[in-house]
Structures are given as C-alpha cells and as structure tokens.
Amino acid sequence: MTTTSNIPGDGPSGMRWIPGGRFRMGCENFYPEEAPVRTVGVDGFWIDEVPVTNAMFKRFVDSTGYVTLAEEPLDPAAYAGVDPALLQPGSLVFVSPRQRVRLDDISQWWQWRVGADWRHPLGSGSSLAGLEDHPVVHVTHRDAAAYAAWAGKALPTEAEWERACRGGHEDRDYAWGDELAPGGRMLANYFQGQFPWNNTCEDGYERTSPVRSYPSNDYGLFDMIGNVWEWTDDWFVPATMLAKKAPGCGCAPQNPRGGSQADSTDPRDASTRLGRRVCKGGSHLCAVGYCQRYRPASRHAQAIDSSTSHIGFRCVVRA
C-alpha cells in the first residue's frame, strides 16, 4: 500500500485526515458485487469522525428551513396505481416480525409509515428524545447532499469512503481484522440472532446506537461499520466496470468515480428508472445469516428517492 501522510494543517473541527495513496479496494470472499479486488488511488482528504447526528442535522434544518424528501407528499404521477393513502409524507421503517419469516420477501420487515421522517424515526408519535447523538436517518441522497453543501463539505466517493474505513490496512474482511467478534467482543452495531425476528442484542442495541459507542478504527473514525448505512456520491454500477486501468499507462486509476445515472438503474425493475447511489458500511440490520455487509468492501445500491430507518451519511473535505 502506498501512502502520503503529510497533514495539511489542523483541518476542520470534528474531522480526521485520511492520507492519499493507493490501496486494494473490494473483496472476493463474500458478495459478487464487491469483486474484483482492484488497486486504486485517492488524494488525501478530511472525513467526519462520526456520521451526521440528529443534533447536527437539526442545526442545519433550523438554519435553512430545509424540508427532507420524506416530509413531502409523493407525486401521484410518479407512482401510478399506488393507494393514494400511501402517497402522504413518510418513509420506510424496520419492524421486526413476531415469528420466523422467509428471507426473500423484505415486505415482511419493512413497512411504509406515514409520518416517518428524520424527526419521527418510527413514524407519527415518535420523537428524537434521547436520540440526539444517534445518526440521523430517513434522509435521501438529496438530503445528505444538501446538508453537505450547507456545511461547506461534500459526500465521499465510494473509493474515499472505503479508504477511510480500512484505517490504513488492506485485505481485511472487517475494519479491525479477519474475525467478526474477536474473543466475543462486539466492535460494531449489527444484528445478532436470527434475522429479522429474533435480535439478541448482544451489542446492546436493537436499533441505532449513539455515535462513538464502539472503538474507532486506526484512522480515529467511529461507526464506519454497522449502525447506519452511509450514502456516497457515486452511482452504483458493477465493480467489474470500475476495475479498469487508467488509459495509456495501465496504472491504477486515481480518484475513481462510479458510473453514470443511466447505468445505475435497476434492470429488474421496468416500472422505474430511478438512479441508485452506492451506500457503504452496513447497518444495525446486517446479520451473519442474512446480510454480512458490515465490512469495508460492502456496497449497496440505494434508489436516490428512498429513505429508511437505517441509512445516514457523513461528509468529506478535500484538500
């Protein structure tokens, strides 16, 4: 791994410097969308120590009057045939079934709840009381980008995010090594037990956890793994499309970006051509028996208009 560690000054408050250099991105041990492993390079950048919290997001909204997508009614023209009652403002909330269910039907644990938004994470009647230092959720890519612009920052690329998550190490399955829970120690907020109906909460949390509840990685970053998925600014395309050498020299691509919006649409869903951005890091709903995506190389294609109770974000500042 090649690194450049010179830190350009003190940097913005609450952010950590990630040295530029080349690293091995991706993984070939888990899911096909993460392969192949390829060498890429990034320039040095600053990244938030923690995901944006509810308290941070509230300061943004109080300052700007911003309204998130989940707080707006849905456009009937974009959702032909959908029950009008479901076109009210709302978002997707995880609701644990009371018994074992099939794992090929996510409607068994995801519910559209009218009134669910960043202020009301479980729907109408819920609040942020006691959750001020938890990651903000029910934010779309648009919402995350708006916050980043207000803060004078940006959303990370997928390569920047993975570089930061790895903490200066390569070829590790997890951010801390190759064992998920070394010595039985919980190092991130993820789902223990039989997903989605029996969460044993060995990590201490059923849903999101306060930021900094678990040890930082070797770059001093918290909650890069688990807790909430995090938006990046890259369109989602297969990693095989990204594993191309720089033209002319055959060397590792520098500061690679994802594909186009057109390439990111889901070919299995003819009813919509909405683009999908890459989310990284897994969440409190990832589990050994269902979604082992609590890892640096994991990547998830999330529709840009979709908000949920397990997706948040953090920001970067480029040198």
Side-chain angles (χ1 to χ4, degrees), residues 152-269:
K153 302 178 180 181
L155 295 181
T157 67
E158 181 178 4
E160 287 172 336
W161 194 100
E162 188 166 328
R163 167 76 162 175
C165 184
R166 290 188 177 278
H169 304 279
E170 290 189 336
D171 300 321
R172 288 180 169 184
D173 285 341
Y174 306 101
W176 46 83
D178 290 321
E179 188 176 352
L180 176 59
R185 187 183 182 200
M186 296 290 105
L187 298 178
N189 178 2
Y190 59 93
F191 193 107
Q192 293 89 46
Q194 294 179 298
F195 183 87
W197 66 281
N198 180 30
N199 190 346
T200 58
C201 297
E202 295 166 45
D203 57 8
Y205 299 96
E206 182 178 4
R207 292 185 180 269
T208 59
S209 51
V211 297
R212 298 188 176 88
S213 293
Y214 302 91
S216 70
N217 72 2
D218 287 346
Y219 281 151
L221 305 176
F222 297 87
D223 293 284
M224 294 296 287
I225 295 298
N227 211 358
V228 293
W229 283 99
E230 298 184 13
W231 287 106
T232 74
D233 207 33
D234 279 359
W235 296 108
F236 185 97
V237 295
T240 51
M241 293 180 61
L242 306 175
K244 298 179 180 179
K245 302 293 184 180
C249 66
C251 53
Q254 186 70 15
N255 300 317
R257 295 302 307 263
S260 68
Q261 179 174 358
D263 289 336
S264 76
T265 56
D266 188 347
R268 299 168 300 178
D269 186 358

Side-chain angles (χ1 to χ4, degrees), residues 4-86:
T4 303
S5 59
N6 292 335
I7 301 177
D10 293 335
S13 175
M15 304 188 84
R16 293 279 183 158
W17 174 251
I18 308 302
R22 291 177 296 177
F23 73 103
R24 286 165 55 80
M25 184 176 179
C27 179
E28 296 174 356
N29 300 334
F30 288 85
Y31 297 103
E33 70 271 14
E34 302 166 6
V37 174
R38 64 270 186 202
T39 298
V40 304
V42 296
D43 296 335
F45 60 96
W46 300 90
I47 190 168
D48 290 336
E49 286 184 348
V50 299
V52 171
T53 65
N54 288 310
M56 296 174 189
F57 200 78
K58 183 177 185 300
R59 288 195 290 271
F60 159 60
V61 171
D62 289 347
S63 174
T64 63
Y66 182 83
V67 177
T68 63
L69 196 60
E71 297 171 278
E72 299 177 357
L74 300 179
D75 180 4
Y79 297 91
V82 174
D83 183 349
L86 299 178

Side-chain angles (χ1 to χ4, degrees), residues 79-96:
Y79 297 91
V82 174
D83 183 349
L86 299 178
L87 297 180
Q88 301 177 60
S91 188
L92 288 167
V93 176
F94 174 80
V95 179
S96 180

